[in-house]
Amino acid sequence: MGCSKWRAAFNFGHLKVHSKLPVFFTMIILFIYLFYCLNGYCESLPRPVYDQRSNLQTKIIFKDGQETEQLGAYDASPVSFVREQLSDLTNSDPPSNNISIANNFGSKKFPQAIIIGVKKGGTRALLEFLRIHPDVRAVGAEPHFFDRFYEKGLEWYRNLMPRTLEGQITMEKTPSYFITKEAPRRVFSMSRHTRLIVVVRDPVTRAVSDYTQTLSKSPGLPSFQNLVFRNATTGLIDTSWSAVRIGIYAKHLENWLRYFPLSRFLFVSGERLVTDPAGEMGRVQDFLGLKRVVTDKHFYFNQTKGFPCLKKPEGSSRPRCLGKSKGRPHPQISSEVLLRLRDFYRPFNLKFYQMTGHDFGWDQMATHQSS
């Protein structure tokens, strides 16, 4: 009898102890949490990206030394916010204090669009204008993968690309692709859906500009007249000279059309990119499926250089123009030489107009005097 009572008391006490253990451990956890919070350790816990806007903004202002228009306009979407910040950080000049979050987000992809030509047509200007757009990520230097470094492999090429988020477009520009025989097949092997942009310019003006650039690097270069003619007496044009050969656009386009339909191309007028940059950029953004963000409010015409520059951001000391190598004065070339060259290009131009369905009007143009 005594033993039974003792067992019952023991079992009852055992149950009371078990019922108190969860409460005891819960109190310990709450005490530890309160202790850490009161000492400020909770602030070190990671937070969602969209909760870090104020911190990111502070970093970016410190990085650039100023607040830009885009930093003040946030979208409600966390992805859109991160996309804007990555675009600002990676499309701008390298920061002095190396503050960057670009490597923490996005992935490297093959370019969905490539500016494939042409040299001295306005490709650098087009790329710089496009980089204003928050949904465009572009390689700064020309990769030359499909003409010079193809043997390095596609993985090497993809690693050159910047990281992108969902909805952003990866781009690159290498103008020599347009005249490289193997480039169309190689680009097609990467992706048949690649969008191709060709910036074209009056081939006579383009040839003079090309010569001017080479002359600045090699002052001992023969005269334009000596290089352009295979035989000065007969006036036969030397098509083996690259400055002349590049301008035979119809021939190069035929090579590309063996692999890509015309619908995959956009032909940008190098002349209109100077006279109406906003209008031509509207066409480019439509072709890429982008919202028209880059408009006339971004441009002003630089009378000294002879082409448009990007307006300076609020608080910046100066606007963004292309480098000193752009806008060189052209050497004086005989009008007779230029007329012969224009006659040479005329049938090729007409064929190019027919192939693209667009009359660029080069045969009515006078040769411009700036590159």
Side-chain angles (χ1 to χ4, degrees), residues 116 118 175-181 183 242 245-247 252 255-256:
I116 61 172
V118 297
S176 53
Y177 290 163
F178 189 59
I179 63 168
T180 301
K181 184 178 179 181
S242 63
R245 188 176 69 255
I246 292 172
H252 306 306
N255 188 34
W256 281 88

Side-chain angles (χ1 to χ4, degrees), residues 28 46 57 68 183 204 220 316 324 327:
I28 291 177
Q57 187 179 18
T68 64
V204 176
S316 177
K324 294 180 180 180

Side-chain angles (χ1 to χ4, degrees), residues 62 94 102 127 161 167 253 290 354:
F62 177 65
L127 186 66
M161 299 300 122
L253 181 58
L290 299 170
Q354 291 174 340

